[in-house]
């Protein structure tokens, strides 16, 4: 990977005055994203033959991100995931949120982090380039208590590692669960669906969902089910499975996996044999939602093709809002003055 030569960060104005940033390293890896929603629009990495191709879903036209109902590439918060009945309790007080999916609250609602313009500050170090994004979510907006100051940093290094660092602090007790909602497809330029992506997850348990995709309260063992990725298997196995939980979410996965050990380490490995690409995910988050795009809106014009089910897979590393009902899993509650500090690293390589 050698000596630093041309690590660069550039920016340009695009639709509606949004700024698009481009990070590039010596290996030719390129990450592009917007200050609007912190949306990652493209990640170009080499295949086994050195060919650079995009490995995330992104719209063909930047303007389409203004109606990003599938959260392509977006930062999600203040709480990623579904909050049952759009309400939660802290210190004996109930806070009611916007009901934006049936009777529930999903991904921060209409004022969620995926559609605000973040303040952006580019930076360079000896071996990295990146951008620090900051935003204040004011107290009471959509019912959330506390002024929440958030910083999310995107960093690219010389080893084809793309790091997302999340920081937050509130002046009142509140709830926080931040993640990124990129849809990955390692085949490159949408040449195939994710059926033949082989995934390994350091997880022994997952959370059962009901018909509304709300946790039932049951934390189930993965052993003996299509949810056992401990030794790795193809996503196609679960997409085609008759297991009740795969069928419930529309034939595939949209489930929260609890990591065996929440310490910062490699928790997920993804490989795509045709291109030879690999992606390792390291994080100190307690788990992640894996979503195989079972209900991706079809027919959207994307860079490289048209959207359809199973065209990408999300690895949403985060704590789960199910913890508002379950005291057996890591909590999304954040005490006043407490610092929320999480990190996820996506490192790309080849077989």
């Amino acid at each position: 990977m050698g000596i630093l030569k041309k690590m660069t960060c550039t920016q340009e104005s695009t639709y509606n005055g949004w700024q698009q940033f481009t990070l590039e390293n010596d290996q030719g890896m390129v990450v592009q994203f917007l200050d609007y929603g912190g949306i990652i629009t493209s990640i170009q990495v080499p295949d086994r033959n050195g060919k650079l191709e995009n490995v995330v879903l992104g719209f063909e036209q930047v303007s389409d991100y203004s109606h990003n109902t599938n959260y392509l590439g977006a930062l999600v918060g203040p709480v990623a995931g579904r909050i049952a009945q759009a309400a939660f309790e802290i210190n004996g007080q109930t806070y009611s949120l916007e009901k934006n999916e049936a009777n529930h609250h999903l991904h921060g609602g209409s004022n969620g982090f995926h559609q605000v313009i973040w303040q952006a500050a580019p930076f360079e170090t000896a071996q990295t380039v990146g951008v620090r994004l900051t935003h204040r979510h004011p107290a009471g907006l959509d019912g959330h208590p506390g002024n929440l100051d958030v910083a999310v940093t995107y960093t690219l290094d010389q080893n084809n590692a793309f790091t997302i660092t999340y920081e937050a602090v509130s002046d009142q007790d509140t709830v926080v669960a931040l993640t990124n909602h990129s849809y990955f497809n390692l085949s490159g330029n949408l040449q195939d669906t994710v059926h033949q992506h082989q995934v390994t997850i350091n997880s022994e348990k997952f959370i059962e969902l009901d018909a509304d995709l709300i946790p039932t309260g049951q934390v189930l063992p993965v052993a003996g089910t299509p949810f056992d990725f401990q030794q790795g298997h193809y996503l196609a196995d679960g997409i085609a499975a008759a297991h009740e939980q795969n069928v419930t979410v529309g034939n595939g996965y949209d489930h929260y996996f609890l990591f065996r050990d929440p310490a910062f380490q490699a928790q997920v490995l993804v490989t795509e044999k045709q291109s030879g690409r690999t992606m390792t995910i390291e994080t100190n988050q307690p788990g992640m939602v894996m979503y195989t795009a079972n209900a991706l809106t079809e027919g959207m014009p994307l860079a490289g093709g048209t959207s359809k089910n199973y065209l990408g897979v999300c690895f949403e590393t985060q704590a789960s809002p199910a913890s508002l009902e379950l005291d057996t899993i890591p909590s999304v509650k954040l005490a006043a003055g407490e610092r929320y500090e999480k990190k996820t690293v996506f490192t790309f390589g080849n077989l």
Side-chain angles (χ1 to χ4, degrees):
M1 291 295 176
I3 300 171
L4 179 103
K5 297 176 183 177
K6 59 167 187 174
M7 294 283 285
T8 60
C9 174
T10 58
Q11 74 181 91
E12 61 177 329
S13 184
T14 180
Y15 171 80
N16 208 29
W18 302 342
Q19 296 297 305
Q20 177 161 280
F21 295 85
T22 301
L23 309 179
E24 183 175 0
N25 69 8
D26 287 0
Q27 322 315 317
M29 179 175 167
V30 178
V31 179
Q32 293 183 303
F33 55 91
L34 302 170
D35 59 357
Y36 175 74
I39 293 169
I40 296 170
T41 59
S42 174
I43 298 179
Q44 298 181 53
V45 296
D47 67 4
R48 62 161 56 90
N49 299 314
K51 184 178 181 181
L52 287 169
E53 292 174 312
N54 182 27
V55 295
V56 293
L57 273 59
F59 286 116
E60 185 176 43
Q61 301 294 326
V62 174
S63 58
D64 287 344
Y65 288 107
S66 61
H67 303 287
N68 190 12
T69 56
N70 293 271
Y71 305 92
L72 298 187
L75 289 176
V76 181
V79 176
R82 295 172 177 84
I83 297 179
Q85 305 304 316
F88 63 91
E89 183 179 299
I90 291 182
N91 302 329
Q93 181 174 347
T94 298
Y95 295 89
S96 297
L97 307 176
E98 173 190 12
K99 294 181 178 180
N100 66 318
E101 188 184 69
N103 289 319
H104 313 297
H105 181 79
L106 175 66
H107 288 336
S110 58
N111 290 298
F113 293 168
H114 62 291
Q115 49 193 12
V116 300
I117 296 179
W118 293 67
Q119 298 298 308
F123 64 88
E124 296 182 13
T125 71
Q127 292 288 328
T128 67
V129 289
V131 176
R132 181 177 171 86
L133 303 169
T134 56
H135 173 66
R136 166 167 277 204
H137 191 78
L141 184 62
D142 281 344
H144 285 273
N147 294 298
L148 184 68
D149 290 307
V150 182
V152 179
T153 304
Y154 289 160
T155 307
L156 177 64
D157 73 9
Q158 290 287 53
N159 298 311
N160 285 0
F162 176 59
T163 299
I164 306 179
T165 302
Y166 304 91
E167 304 167 79
V169 64
S170 174
D171 57 6
Q172 296 180 45
D173 292 354
T174 192
V175 289
V176 176
L178 307 180
T179 196
N180 179 271
H181 207 282
S182 288
Y183 292 74
F184 291 93
N185 186 326
L186 299 187
S187 71
N189 292 350
L190 307 186
Q191 294 177 61
D192 202 352
T193 62
V194 297
H195 286 74
Q196 296 307 306
H197 282 48
Q198 189 172 32
V199 178
T200 304
I201 306 175
N202 181 28
S203 173
E204 296 176 324
K205 299 177 181 179
F206 74 102
I207 295 178
E208 184 182 59
L209 300 176
D210 67 16
D212 282 349
L213 308 186
I214 298 297
T216 64
Q218 296 296 313
V219 179
L220 303 179
V222 302
T225 77
F227 294 82
D228 190 350
F229 288 87
Q230 294 177 93
Q231 302 303 317
H233 66 76
Y234 291 103
L235 293 178
D237 299 342
I239 291 171
H243 190 283
E244 180 184 3
Q245 280 295 291
N246 293 114
V247 174
T248 292
V249 301
N251 301 308
Y253 299 94
D254 194 3
H255 295 79
Y256 188 81
F257 291 80
L258 283 156
F259 294 137
R260 185 184 298 111
D261 183 350
F264 181 77
Q265 62 178 334
Q267 303 285 13
V268 182
L269 173 64
V270 188
T271 63
E272 204 278 328
K273 292 182 179 178
Q274 189 66 29
S275 69
R277 290 187 180 93
T278 66
M279 181 175 71
T280 301
I281 303 174
E282 299 168 274
T283 187
N284 61 349
Q285 294 276 17
M288 79 174 181
V289 174
M290 184 171 71
Y291 172 51
T292 48
N294 324 314
L296 184 66
T297 302
E298 299 198 353
M300 298 184 298
L302 304 179
T306 303
S307 64
K308 59 183 178 181
N309 288 348
Y310 312 117
L311 196 58
V313 53
C314 299
F315 301 100
E316 304 163 51
T317 57
Q318 61 173 94
S320 173
S323 63
L324 294 169
E325 308 295 332
L326 303 174
D327 58 9
T328 56
I329 63 175
S331 178
V332 297
K333 292 182 179 179
L334 184 71
E338 179 185 0
R339 295 202 65 83
Y340 175 97
E341 296 178 314
K342 299 295 181 182
K343 180 169 71 171
T344 298
V345 182
F346 302 90
T347 302
F348 297 89
N350 280 284
L351 294 170

